[in-house]
Amino acid sequence: MYQHKISALLLSFFLLSLALSACSDSNSTTATVAPVTATSVPNQTVAVAATTNSNKPTTTAVAAVPTTQALSADQIESNSVVSVVKRANPAVVTVYTKATRTTTGSQFTVGTGSGAIISENGYILTNAHVVSGAQGISVAFNNGQKVAAAQLVGIDEDGDIAVLKVDVKTPAVLKFGDSSKVEIGETVIAIGAALGDFRNSVTKGVVSGLNRTIPGDTSPNVYIQTDASINHGNSGGPLLNLKGEIIGINTAVVRSVNSGGSSTSANDVAEGLGFSIPGNVAAMISEQLITKGTASKPYFGIRYQMITPAIAGTTLSGISIPEIEGAWVSPSGRQPGIVAGGPADKAGLKDNDIITAINGEPLNDLNPLVTAILKYKPNDTINLTVQRGKDSLTLQLTLGERPKPLN
């Protein structure tokens, strides 16, 4: 019996030696693995078989390939909006204006608007119409609990811009973007105290138009049009790009237009017609208000109508419009187009002249006169290309300073 056991042990030892010899032969086994791109393979377990010289599988290795799913364009934009709002929200405040009761002398809230913190020193940008005439101003930060008294640093009624200051630590600051590079269709975000009660409401839309004017608006402003929802209380709040930069200050919303003296139908109410003061204009005015307490803007001294492709060559209110784009120096009512003694008068401009370019830069609906001169300062001298009847001429004009108030 012991002999049988010894024989079995010897046989086992012999077989084990053969197996070890086969495993140590580096030339007898090879493995071929195909490359796998994780982004192109759904989540699954992949079996890879090692092959021998005889093409018989000997081992199986199992590897889990992780899935990387590409984000949709909507999800990428949504993530960008969320990121911008998280950074910007602490820098958007609710502005409360107060009046004094004549009977008791106590103050009470009479209006609500929005504002954007633009400096670590406590400067806050808002609309002039939000704080004009206020006897007391306070701001509430995003948490809705911390309220601080605010002082009016300066106000520009024409530009509808005002700067406030608080003497407390600011939670965040917003920076200006270049509003001259804003494109129609670009995604934008509006933040503000909708209806005064819904603090830091966030809406999203696109840039719907540039260099817009609002019917009935007597200010010299042109606006960025957006379909991001803007409501009462949003005035003074920022319009942001996807970098979180201020490219506009939300100012107005238009529901309907009374055109030519006839009222629009009660059912013909527009939605998504919001308007913002371009960020470059707001930045220029606010800087002057902070440094000087007042804003100084260039002045032409003309009354004019921008001729756009839509009205060129047509008849407007019984007046034939020239078939050329530019700023048409035109009388308004009984007032002449040229303000007597103003810069345009001194430069030799005349009624019915059409200014087609400033320093070689064409004037048109994308670059109206009011926008074109904002890059210049009072006392700057500019070259005007002027169409007078059939003649083209060049005039030099030295810009004045816009009077306050302008009659």
Side-chain angles (χ1 to χ4, degrees), residues 180-229:
S180 69
K181 295 182 179 179
V182 170
E183 296 185 290
I184 295 175
E186 180 178 340
T187 298
V188 288
I189 303 161
I191 305 179
L195 301 181
D197 294 317
F198 303 97
R199 290 192 297 265
N200 286 63
S201 292
V202 177
T203 56
K204 185 191 77 168
V206 298
V207 173
S208 306
L210 300 170
N211 295 315
R212 297 294 203 200
T213 57
I214 301 176
D217 180 21
T218 58
S219 77
N221 292 331
V222 291
Y223 301 91
I224 295 172
Q225 180 189 336
T226 178
D227 69 344
S229 295

Side-chain angles (χ1 to χ4, degrees), residues 91-99 108-118 122-142 144 146-153 155 161-166 191-201 232-238 249-250:
V92 180
V93 301
T94 303
V95 179
Y96 298 101
T97 57
K98 299 178 180 180
F108 62 100
T109 299
V110 293
T112 308
S114 304
I117 303 172
I118 57 172
Y123 291 108
I124 296 172
L125 180 62
T126 188
N127 279 139
H129 75 259
V130 170
V131 296
S132 181
Q135 296 172 319
I137 306 171
S138 60
V139 300
F141 295 99
N142 186 33
K146 189 174 184 180
V147 178
Q151 294 78 43
L152 180 62
V153 174
I155 188 167
I161 292 293
V163 174
L164 312 175
K165 190 176 188 303
V166 293
I191 305 179
L195 301 181
D197 294 317
F198 303 97
R199 290 192 297 265
N200 286 63
S201 292
H232 296 295
N234 277 100
S235 288
I249 296 298
N250 299 323

